[in-house]
Amino acid sequence: MQTIVRVLQGLDTIGGNIVAFEREDSRVVMDFGTTFGPTNDDTQSLLTERKLPNIPEFFLSEVKGHFTHNAIFISHLHIDHMGALQYLADTVDVYMSPEAIQLYLTLQSLNSEPATKANLKPIFPEKPVQVGELTVTAYLSDHDITGAYMFRIQDGFHEFVHSGDVRYDGPHSERVDYWTKILHDNQPDLFFIEGTEFSFENKSQHRETEASLLLDFEKVLQQTNELVVINPYQRNIERLFSLQMIARKMGRELVWNHEFATILKNQTAKHVHEIAVDVSWSEIEQEPNKYVVQNSFNDLNDLNKMNNFVYLHMNGEPLGDYDGRYAILENYLTVRNIPLQLMGASGHATETDLLKIAAAVNAKLTVPWHSFKPELENRALQKLGLKTNLPHLDEPMIFED
Ligand SMILES: [Zn+2]
């Protein structure tokens, strides 16, 4: 018997990475993301253009597949890892962490994520899930989103690993230490490792981490009596609560918009302050030094009420100048003479850390992906003495028993 591994999407993109593991009548698909923005194209044309992975039976009801056991596993809830779930034509079992399910359901209720036919099932850390002939085990990892996993896939003869997105200088590096040690002891046959940071040539010398970002935030609160406005990403729950904690420590309340407040309440059942519900704009105008306001791009004009404020951009949308809205944000602040202060931190390991992880795992075969330049990571991995492969799209990698 054999297991076939097939990369179905995302060999040289950041995200949109999809890989299938097939054995007999069983198939698991790892991650299900997209790299394209909102579109009116129908599912058939997205399939034809290969913007969706070549698994037509998932997207077109009339197509019958030949796998009896099928499941999709989502490493984390970034769009480049789950954006294709909205296109499922029929129910498919889709596993993700319980935190990710909770977040996904909240986002759907807020219309921030479209509805899906996915049959959402929780997978818990180190509690293996059986899909026919294949076993999948999840491990907690460290990425800039709640409930991020690394996945191990076993067929009784081989072991395959999908790193998911990972960083090594975040608040949970011990999780990465833990799973690299387990993988090292089992020497996997195949290790898919992300390579985001190998995409960019001109990296800045200074690297912010979640920890340094929080220190910088605290420093800003110390130095100003003005209102502080932050624009973070709503799916990085841990950072949101850390920011709130620091604001409170510094005598300020963090006030969230409806979307963020709902997400935070649903995720933890803790009380948070919502703008216009718990705190009004006139209260903020009267005592700006008592508040931090979270502001999403769509609410930018709410800030018209304030003559002055400090604006901290913390990985919220628009993420960068490739997004047309970034220029609008820059202009909005410029005409008010307010600097756009960048205070973000990456969810992706540095090149050095990626190589450290790959060397520690020491798989029989390492496959770099999730990068604009996988060939750069490939060369660096080879220099470490690791055996690597840069597969082609849909090409079967065959593992005989
Ligand atoms: Zn990603």
Side-chain angles (χ1 to χ4, degrees), residues 102-139:
Q102 175 64 61
L103 179 57
Y104 194 20
L105 295 175
T106 304
L107 291 168
Q108 285 179 56
S109 76
L110 291 162
N111 292 324
S112 298
E113 275 294 341
T116 172
K117 290 268 175 69
N119 179 27
L120 300 178
K121 293 185 155 191
I123 175 169
F124 297 91
E126 296 183 65
K127 299 267 181 289
V129 166
Q130 198 73 36
V131 180
E133 304 281 318
L134 298 163
T135 309
V136 177
T137 312
Y139 290 79

mmCIF file of all heavy atoms in Angstrom, residues 102-139:
data_model
loop_
_atom_site.group_PDB
_atom_site.id
_atom_site.type_symbol
_atom_site.label_atom_id
_atom_site.label_comp_id
_atom_site.label_asym_id
_atom_site.label_seq_id
_atom_site.Cartn_x
_atom_site.Cartn_y
_atom_site.Cartn_z
ATOM 1 N N GLN A 102 -15.057 28.691 17.671
ATOM 2 C CA GLN A 102 -15.799 29.760 18.346
ATOM 3 C C GLN A 102 -15.644 31.087 17.590
ATOM 4 O O GLN A 102 -16.615 31.792 17.317
ATOM 5 C CB GLN A 102 -15.292 29.906 19.790
ATOM 6 C CG GLN A 102 -15.900 31.049 20.561
ATOM 7 C CD GLN A 102 -17.401 30.879 20.769
ATOM 8 O OE1 GLN A 102 -17.834 29.911 21.389
ATOM 9 N NE2 GLN A 102 -18.192 31.794 20.216
ATOM 10 N N LEU A 103 -14.403 31.385 17.221
ATOM 11 C CA LEU A 103 -14.116 32.621 16.503
ATOM 12 C C LEU A 103 -14.805 32.639 15.138
ATOM 13 O O LEU A 103 -15.406 33.646 14.734
ATOM 14 C CB LEU A 103 -12.600 32.774 16.349
ATOM 15 C CG LEU A 103 -12.080 33.998 15.598
ATOM 16 C CD1 LEU A 103 -12.562 35.294 16.238
ATOM 17 C CD2 LEU A 103 -10.541 33.982 15.564
ATOM 18 N N TYR A 104 -14.748 31.508 14.442
ATOM 19 C CA TYR A 104 -15.345 31.401 13.105
ATOM 20 C C TYR A 104 -16.864 31.629 13.178
ATOM 21 O O TYR A 104 -17.435 32.368 12.366
ATOM 22 C CB TYR A 104 -15.024 30.015 12.540
ATOM 23 C CG TYR A 104 -15.268 29.830 11.063
ATOM 24 C CD1 TYR A 104 -15.363 30.905 10.186
ATOM 25 C CD2 TYR A 104 -15.386 28.546 10.525
ATOM 26 C CE1 TYR A 104 -15.570 30.714 8.828
ATOM 27 C CE2 TYR A 104 -15.593 28.335 9.176
ATOM 28 C CZ TYR A 104 -15.692 29.423 8.332
ATOM 29 O OH TYR A 104 -15.903 29.224 6.990
ATOM 30 N N LEU A 105 -17.513 31.025 14.176
ATOM 31 C CA LEU A 105 -18.958 31.188 14.325
ATOM 32 C C LEU A 105 -19.306 32.643 14.641
ATOM 33 O O LEU A 105 -20.272 33.193 14.094
ATOM 34 C CB LEU A 105 -19.493 30.258 15.425
ATOM 35 C CG LEU A 105 -19.377 28.755 15.119
ATOM 36 C CD1 LEU A 105 -19.827 27.928 16.315
ATOM 37 C CD2 LEU A 105 -20.188 28.377 13.867
ATOM 38 N N THR A 106 -18.497 33.267 15.497
ATOM 39 C CA THR A 106 -18.748 34.684 15.811
ATOM 40 C C THR A 106 -18.592 35.546 14.562
ATOM 41 O O THR A 106 -19.424 36.407 14.274
ATOM 42 C CB THR A 106 -17.775 35.181 16.901
ATOM 43 O OG1 THR A 106 -17.890 34.347 18.052
ATOM 44 C CG2 THR A 106 -18.087 36.615 17.301
ATOM 45 N N LEU A 107 -17.514 35.306 13.803
ATOM 46 C CA LEU A 107 -17.276 36.102 12.591
ATOM 47 C C LEU A 107 -18.421 35.931 11.597
ATOM 48 O O LEU A 107 -18.835 36.885 10.937
ATOM 49 C CB LEU A 107 -15.932 35.716 11.956
ATOM 50 C CG LEU A 107 -14.690 36.121 12.764
ATOM 51 C CD1 LEU A 107 -13.442 35.434 12.214
ATOM 52 C CD2 LEU A 107 -14.502 37.638 12.766
ATOM 53 N N GLN A 108 -18.958 34.706 11.501
ATOM 54 C CA GLN A 108 -20.101 34.488 10.612
ATOM 55 C C GLN A 108 -21.323 35.260 11.118
ATOM 56 O O GLN A 108 -22.051 35.867 10.330
ATOM 57 C CB GLN A 108 -20.422 32.999 10.515
ATOM 58 C CG GLN A 108 -19.422 32.231 9.658
ATOM 59 C CD GLN A 108 -19.765 30.748 9.604
ATOM 60 O OE1 GLN A 108 -20.857 30.369 9.237
ATOM 61 N NE2 GLN A 108 -18.820 29.912 9.990
ATOM 62 N N SER A 109 -21.531 35.248 12.429
ATOM 63 C CA SER A 109 -22.710 35.947 12.975
ATOM 64 C C SER A 109 -22.598 37.461 12.759
ATOM 65 O O SER A 109 -23.587 38.167 12.692
ATOM 66 C CB SER A 109 -22.889 35.615 14.454
ATOM 67 O OG SER A 109 -21.931 36.326 15.227
ATOM 68 N N LEU A 110 -21.369 37.961 12.658
ATOM 69 C CA LEU A 110 -21.138 39.393 12.418
ATOM 70 C C LEU A 110 -21.050 39.723 10.927
ATOM 71 O O LEU A 110 -20.749 40.849 10.552
ATOM 72 C CB LEU A 110 -19.825 39.813 13.092
ATOM 73 C CG LEU A 110 -19.793 39.821 14.622
ATOM 74 C CD1 LEU A 110 -18.361 39.823 15.129
ATOM 75 C CD2 LEU A 110 -20.565 41.020 15.159
ATOM 76 N N ASN A 111 -21.253 38.697 10.074
ATOM 77 C CA ASN A 111 -21.080 38.839 8.622
ATOM 78 C C ASN A 111 -19.657 39.225 8.238
ATOM 79 O O ASN A 111 -19.429 39.804 7.168
ATOM 80 C CB ASN A 111 -22.059 39.862 8.030
ATOM 81 C CG ASN A 111 -23.483 39.357 8.100
ATOM 82 O OD1 ASN A 111 -23.718 38.145 7.944
ATOM 83 N ND2 ASN A 111 -24.414 40.235 8.358
ATOM 84 N N SER A 112 -18.689 38.944 9.091
ATOM 85 C CA SER A 112 -17.286 39.179 8.746
ATOM 86 C C SER A 112 -16.707 37.960 8.029
ATOM 87 O O SER A 112 -15.603 38.026 7.486
ATOM 88 C CB SER A 112 -16.459 39.437 10.003
ATOM 89 O OG SER A 112 -16.926 40.579 10.645
ATOM 90 N N GLU A 113 -17.393 36.840 8.086
ATOM 91 C CA GLU A 113 -17.048 35.655 7.309
ATOM 92 C C GLU A 113 -18.339 35.149 6.680
ATOM 93 O O GLU A 113 -19.376 35.113 7.342
ATOM 94 C CB GLU A 113 -16.462 34.553 8.212
ATOM 95 C CG GLU A 113 -14.974 34.656 8.479
ATOM 96 C CD GLU A 113 -14.108 34.440 7.240
ATOM 97 O OE1 GLU A 113 -14.607 33.867 6.241
ATOM 98 O OE2 GLU A 113 -12.951 34.862 7.262
ATOM 99 N N PRO A 114 -18.266 34.751 5.385
ATOM 100 C CA PRO A 114 -19.469 34.212 4.763
ATOM 101 C C PRO A 114 -19.853 32.852 5.369
ATOM 102 O O PRO A 114 -19.020 32.185 5.980
ATOM 103 C CB PRO A 114 -19.067 34.035 3.290
ATOM 104 C CG PRO A 114 -17.651 34.425 3.168
ATOM 105 C CD PRO A 114 -17.116 34.801 4.502
ATOM 106 N N ALA A 115 -21.107 32.475 5.181
ATOM 107 C CA ALA A 115 -21.575 31.176 5.658
ATOM 108 C C ALA A 115 -20.825 30.057 4.937
ATOM 109 O O ALA A 115 -20.230 30.276 3.883
ATOM 110 C CB ALA A 115 -23.062 31.043 5.403
ATOM 111 N N THR A 116 -20.832 28.871 5.519
ATOM 112 C CA THR A 116 -20.121 27.746 4.920
ATOM 113 C C THR A 116 -20.886 26.454 5.150
ATOM 114 O O THR A 116 -21.646 26.337 6.109
ATOM 115 C CB THR A 116 -18.701 27.607 5.525
ATOM 116 O OG1 THR A 116 -18.114 26.393 5.058
ATOM 117 C CG2 THR A 116 -18.743 27.553 7.042
ATOM 118 N N LYS A 117 -20.678 25.489 4.235
ATOM 119 C CA LYS A 117 -21.278 24.157 4.399
ATOM 120 C C LYS A 117 -20.396 23.270 5.272
ATOM 121 O O LYS A 117 -20.715 22.118 5.507
ATOM 122 C CB LYS A 117 -21.451 23.507 3.018
ATOM 123 C CG LYS A 117 -22.522 24.141 2.142
ATOM 124 C CD LYS A 117 -23.850 23.425 2.358
ATOM 125 C CE LYS A 117 -25.013 24.067 1.609
ATOM 126 N NZ LYS A 117 -24.937 23.913 0.167
ATOM 127 N N ALA A 118 -19.266 23.808 5.721
ATOM 128 C CA ALA A 118 -18.349 23.001 6.532
ATOM 129 C C ALA A 118 -19.052 22.463 7.757
ATOM 130 O O ALA A 118 -19.777 23.173 8.432
ATOM 131 C CB ALA A 118 -17.153 23.859 6.962
ATOM 132 N N ASN A 119 -18.836 21.180 8.020
ATOM 133 C CA ASN A 119 -19.329 20.580 9.255
ATOM 134 C C ASN A 119 -18.202 20.709 10.287
ATOM 135 O O ASN A 119 -17.297 19.885 10.345
ATOM 136 C CB ASN A 119 -19.688 19.111 8.987
ATOM 137 C CG ASN A 119 -20.179 18.424 10.235
ATOM 138 O OD1 ASN A 119 -20.719 19.068 11.138
ATOM 139 N ND2 ASN A 119 -19.969 17.113 10.314
ATOM 140 N N LEU A 120 -18.256 21.778 11.075
ATOM 141 C CA LEU A 120 -17.126 22.113 11.949
ATOM 142 C C LEU A 120 -17.013 21.148 13.118
ATOM 143 O O LEU A 120 -17.989 20.894 13.833
ATOM 144 C CB LEU A 120 -17.280 23.545 12.479
ATOM 145 C CG LEU A 120 -17.331 24.643 11.426
ATOM 146 C CD1 LEU A 120 -17.539 26.002 12.076
ATOM 147 C CD2 LEU A 120 -16.051 24.648 10.589
ATOM 148 N N LYS A 121 -15.803 20.599 13.278
ATOM 149 C CA LYS A 121 -15.565 19.664 14.378
ATOM 150 C C LYS A 121 -14.306 20.079 15.118
ATOM 151 O O LYS A 121 -13.295 20.382 14.490
ATOM 152 C CB LYS A 121 -15.376 18.248 13.827
ATOM 153 C CG LYS A 121 -16.632 17.666 13.208
ATOM 154 C CD LYS A 121 -16.386 16.230 12.793
ATOM 155 C CE LYS A 121 -17.699 15.470 12.765
ATOM 156 N NZ LYS A 121 -17.473 14.026 12.632
ATOM 157 N N PRO A 122 -14.342 20.070 16.446
ATOM 158 C CA PRO A 122 -13.136 20.456 17.181
ATOM 159 C C PRO A 122 -12.092 19.342 17.174
ATOM 160 O O PRO A 122 -12.445 18.159 17.253
ATOM 161 C CB PRO A 122 -13.650 20.685 18.602
ATOM 162 C CG PRO A 122 -14.881 19.850 18.706
ATOM 163 C CD PRO A 122 -15.473 19.761 17.333
ATOM 164 N N ILE A 123 -10.848 19.731 17.041
ATOM 165 C CA ILE A 123 -9.749 18.785 17.276
ATOM 166 C C ILE A 123 -8.937 19.376 18.428
ATOM 167 O O ILE A 123 -8.594 20.559 18.412
ATOM 168 C CB ILE A 123 -8.899 18.513 16.014
ATOM 169 C CG1 ILE A 123 -7.702 17.605 16.370
ATOM 170 C CG2 ILE A 123 -8.466 19.764 15.294
ATOM 171 C CD1 ILE A 123 -6.945 17.063 15.154
ATOM 172 N N PHE A 124 -8.701 18.551 19.431
ATOM 173 C CA PHE A 124 -8.030 19.004 20.645
ATOM 174 C C PHE A 124 -6.553 18.620 20.588
ATOM 175 O O PHE A 124 -6.195 17.621 19.961
ATOM 176 C CB PHE A 124 -8.710 18.399 21.880
ATOM 177 C CG PHE A 124 -10.138 18.835 22.032
ATOM 178 C CD1 PHE A 124 -11.179 18.096 21.467
ATOM 179 C CD2 PHE A 124 -10.441 20.017 22.699
ATOM 180 C CE1 PHE A 124 -12.495 18.523 21.576
ATOM 181 C CE2 PHE A 124 -11.765 20.441 22.818
ATOM 182 C CZ PHE A 124 -12.795 19.693 22.249
ATOM 183 N N PRO A 125 -5.696 19.421 21.255
ATOM 184 C CA PRO A 125 -4.255 19.138 21.212
ATOM 185 C C PRO A 125 -3.955 17.703 21.664
ATOM 186 O O PRO A 125 -4.433 17.272 22.708
ATOM 187 C CB PRO A 125 -3.654 20.156 22.190
ATOM 188 C CG PRO A 125 -4.675 21.228 22.307
ATOM 189 C CD PRO A 125 -6.012 20.607 22.059
ATOM 190 N N GLU A 126 -3.185 17.030 20.849
ATOM 191 C CA GLU A 126 -2.681 15.683 21.162
ATOM 192 C C GLU A 126 -3.782 14.642 21.389
ATOM 193 O O GLU A 126 -3.563 13.627 22.036
ATOM 194 C CB GLU A 126 -1.727 15.746 22.363
ATOM 195 C CG GLU A 126 -0.494 16.587 22.018
ATOM 196 C CD GLU A 126 0.522 16.635 23.140
ATOM 197 O OE1 GLU A 126 1.087 15.566 23.465
ATOM 198 O OE2 GLU A 126 0.743 17.732 23.681
ATOM 199 N N LYS A 127 -4.976 14.912 20.847
ATOM 200 C CA LYS A 127 -6.050 13.909 20.830
ATOM 201 C C LYS A 127 -6.265 13.527 19.367
ATOM 202 O O LYS A 127 -6.937 14.245 18.622
ATOM 203 C CB LYS A 127 -7.353 14.493 21.403
ATOM 204 C CG LYS A 127 -7.273 14.950 22.844
ATOM 205 C CD LYS A 127 -7.700 13.833 23.798
ATOM 206 C CE LYS A 127 -7.662 14.251 25.246
ATOM 207 N NZ LYS A 127 -6.287 14.412 25.786
ATOM 208 N N PRO A 128 -5.654 12.399 18.959
ATOM 209 C CA PRO A 128 -5.685 12.041 17.535
ATOM 210 C C PRO A 128 -7.094 11.870 16.982
ATOM 211 O O PRO A 128 -7.982 11.413 17.694
ATOM 212 C CB PRO A 128 -4.936 10.695 17.511
ATOM 213 C CG PRO A 128 -4.140 10.660 18.770
ATOM 214 C CD PRO A 128 -4.922 11.439 19.778
ATOM 215 N N VAL A 129 -7.262 12.259 15.734
ATOM 216 C CA VAL A 129 -8.532 12.093 15.024
ATOM 217 C C VAL A 129 -8.290 11.111 13.875
ATOM 218 O O VAL A 129 -7.320 11.249 13.121
ATOM 219 C CB VAL A 129 -9.029 13.450 14.469
ATOM 220 C CG1 VAL A 129 -10.148 13.252 13.459
ATOM 221 C CG2 VAL A 129 -9.487 14.362 15.605
ATOM 222 N N GLN A 130 -9.170 10.123 13.772
ATOM 223 C CA GLN A 130 -9.038 9.087 12.736
ATOM 224 C C GLN A 130 -9.909 9.458 11.545
ATOM 225 O O GLN A 130 -11.098 9.728 11.713
ATOM 226 C CB GLN A 130 -9.506 7.757 13.348
ATOM 227 C CG GLN A 130 -9.046 6.526 12.608
ATOM 228 C CD GLN A 130 -7.557 6.274 12.824
ATOM 229 O OE1 GLN A 130 -7.037 6.526 13.902
ATOM 230 N NE2 GLN A 130 -6.892 5.783 11.793
ATOM 231 N N VAL A 131 -9.303 9.489 10.364
ATOM 232 C CA VAL A 131 -10.081 9.670 9.131
ATOM 233 C C VAL A 131 -9.764 8.465 8.255
ATOM 234 O O VAL A 131 -8.769 8.449 7.530
ATOM 235 C CB VAL A 131 -9.711 10.993 8.422
ATOM 236 C CG1 VAL A 131 -10.537 11.160 7.153
ATOM 237 C CG2 VAL A 131 -9.906 12.188 9.341
ATOM 238 N N GLY A 132 -10.583 7.423 8.346
ATOM 239 C CA GLY A 132 -10.305 6.188 7.614
ATOM 240 C C GLY A 132 -8.946 5.645 7.976
ATOM 241 O O GLY A 132 -8.670 5.343 9.132
ATOM 242 N N GLU A 133 -8.052 5.577 6.987
ATOM 243 C CA GLU A 133 -6.726 4.988 7.171
ATOM 244 C C GLU A 133 -5.719 5.973 7.782
ATOM 245 O O GLU A 133 -4.588 5.598 8.053
ATOM 246 C CB GLU A 133 -6.167 4.554 5.802
ATOM 247 C CG GLU A 133 -7.054 3.603 5.022
ATOM 248 C CD GLU A 133 -6.913 2.186 5.536
ATOM 249 O OE1 GLU A 133 -5.782 1.763 5.823
ATOM 250 O OE2 GLU A 133 -7.960 1.515 5.673
ATOM 251 N N LEU A 134 -6.115 7.212 7.913
ATOM 252 C CA LEU A 134 -5.151 8.238 8.330
ATOM 253 C C LEU A 134 -5.488 8.789 9.725
ATOM 254 O O LEU A 134 -6.660 8.904 10.091
ATOM 255 C CB LEU A 134 -5.150 9.392 7.324
ATOM 256 C CG LEU A 134 -4.723 8.996 5.906
ATOM 257 C CD1 LEU A 134 -5.143 10.058 4.897
ATOM 258 C CD2 LEU A 134 -3.215 8.784 5.835
ATOM 259 N N THR A 135 -4.438 9.100 10.464
ATOM 260 C CA THR A 135 -4.609 9.654 11.806
ATOM 261 C C THR A 135 -3.983 11.051 11.841
ATOM 262 O O THR A 135 -2.845 11.225 11.393
ATOM 263 C CB THR A 135 -3.882 8.779 12.852
ATOM 264 O OG1 THR A 135 -4.288 7.433 12.642
ATOM 265 C CG2 THR A 135 -4.229 9.197 14.269
ATOM 266 N N VAL A 136 -4.705 12.005 12.373
ATOM 267 C CA VAL A 136 -4.180 13.372 12.456
ATOM 268 C C VAL A 136 -4.116 13.794 13.923
ATOM 269 O O VAL A 136 -5.077 13.603 14.673
ATOM 270 C CB VAL A 136 -5.074 14.359 11.665
ATOM 271 C CG1 VAL A 136 -4.559 15.789 11.820
ATOM 272 C CG2 VAL A 136 -5.137 13.960 10.196
ATOM 273 N N THR A 137 -2.976 14.347 14.302
ATOM 274 C CA THR A 137 -2.812 14.843 15.669
ATOM 275 C C THR A 137 -2.406 16.314 15.607
ATOM 276 O O THR A 137 -1.537 16.688 14.814
ATOM 277 C CB THR A 137 -1.729 14.043 16.421
ATOM 278 O OG1 THR A 137 -1.983 12.647 16.218
ATOM 279 C CG2 THR A 137 -1.768 14.338 17.920
ATOM 280 N N ALA A 138 -3.040 17.120 16.441
ATOM 281 C CA ALA A 138 -2.757 18.560 16.471
ATOM 282 C C ALA A 138 -1.875 18.891 17.664
ATOM 283 O O ALA A 138 -1.977 18.260 18.719
ATOM 284 C CB ALA A 138 -4.068 19.340 16.568
ATOM 285 N N TYR A 139 -1.002 19.871 17.484
ATOM 286 C CA TYR A 139 -0.167 20.384 18.574
ATOM 287 C C TYR A 139 -0.327 21.896 18.626
ATOM 288 O O TYR A 139 -0.301 22.562 17.583
ATOM 289 C CB TYR A 139 1.311 20.036 18.340
ATOM 290 C CG TYR A 139 1.581 18.567 18.498
ATOM 291 C CD1 TYR A 139 1.265 17.676 17.479
ATOM 292 C CD2 TYR A 139 2.108 18.062 19.680
ATOM 293 C CE1 TYR A 139 1.471 16.312 17.631
ATOM 294 C CE2 TYR A 139 2.329 16.698 19.840
ATOM 295 C CZ TYR A 139 2.004 15.835 18.814
ATOM 296 O OH TYR A 139 2.194 14.486 18.975
#
